[in-house]
Amino acid sequence: MNTDMSMAAVTEPEPVVAMCMFSDACLDQSLALRLRQPEVKQLFVRFVAVLMRKRTDALESIANSVEKQINALFSRPFTRRQVQRILGITNQKRLLWIQDGHLQQTGIILNNQRGQKLRVPVSCAERIGWLNQNPDMIEAWRDEDARILTYEDRSNAALSS
């Protein structure tokens, strides 16, 4: 392969445009990736910077690396804090919904903080993305919680009288 031609091809804007189009396509196709849009954009900016800095014919290698990292982001579950932020709920509400089966934890990851290994529960990114896109489901759960509290308050009042 002629090295001069490869370098000329990489310095042209087409690879950058292709990377931007790939980034947009990833965000369009996945709720989980859309919820991680800043991370996805940062990933692509890093790879475009490497591409422009090196100006080599390594575009295929870079694209493969981007694809692997995008797949990792796509399948990476959300932590409890991310779930709370995405769904706009409190920790107490998250725990209640896990207890009553509305939310499911899909596993636990080990997080190393200051030399301590912490077990962090995680939830399926696709499920949380779906719930984020269907706020009526969250509202229905909130209404159900309110009805249960009202019923319990009435029961407690009846018992105490």
Side-chain angles (χ1 to χ4, degrees):
M1 181 190 295
N2 183 347
T3 314
D4 294 335
M5 288 188 70
S6 300
M7 287 177 58
V10 173
T11 58
E12 293 176 6
E14 285 84 12
V16 175
V17 171
M19 294 293 262
C20 291
M21 289 173 61
F22 183 51
S23 169
D24 292 342
C26 289
L27 293 172
D28 287 342
Q29 292 177 7
S30 169
L31 292 171
L33 289 176
R34 255 185 304 223
L35 293 170
R36 288 192 167 104
Q37 184 172 358
E39 293 173 77
V40 171
K41 292 288 185 183
Q42 183 181 29
L43 175 69
F44 279 98
V45 166
R46 253 191 350 254
F47 281 110
V48 168
V50 167
L51 175 67
M52 298 310 288
R53 187 172 53 246
K54 290 192 175 185
R55 297 176 189 258
T56 66
D57 62 346
L59 180 59
E60 187 174 330
S61 166
I62 291 170
N64 288 336
S65 181
V66 168
E67 185 176 10
K68 285 179 189 172
Q69 290 189 36
I70 286 294
N71 286 334
L73 272 178
F74 173 77
S75 61
R76 190 172 81 203
F78 287 116
T79 65
R80 60 185 175 221
R81 285 188 182 146
Q82 291 171 320
V83 169
Q84 290 166 207
R85 179 184 49 80
I86 291 165
L87 299 181
I89 61 175
T90 64
N91 188 47
Q92 183 180 11
K93 188 64 73 177
R94 182 187 60 81
L95 290 172
L96 176 68
W97 288 349
I98 287 171
Q99 197 173 41
D100 66 17
H102 292 314
L103 288 176
Q104 293 84 29
Q105 292 179 329
T106 55
I108 292 182
I109 60 171
L110 290 177
N111 189 2
N112 196 3
Q113 281 188 344
R114 299 183 196 122
Q116 288 185 308
K117 288 189 179 179
L118 303 174
R119 296 169 58 87
V120 178
V122 292
S123 298
C124 173
E126 281 298 310
R127 173 75 173 153
I128 299 303
W130 184 86
L131 288 170
N132 180 262
Q133 293 294 311
N134 294 282
D136 52 324
M137 182 64 69
I138 300 292
E139 281 306 310
W141 292 350
R142 285 188 170 125
D143 291 345
E144 180 182 331
D145 291 345
R147 282 193 307 276
I148 290 170
L149 283 175
T150 303
Y151 176 77
E152 287 175 357
D153 288 344
R154 288 181 189 158
S155 296
N156 289 338
L159 288 175
S160 61
S161 23

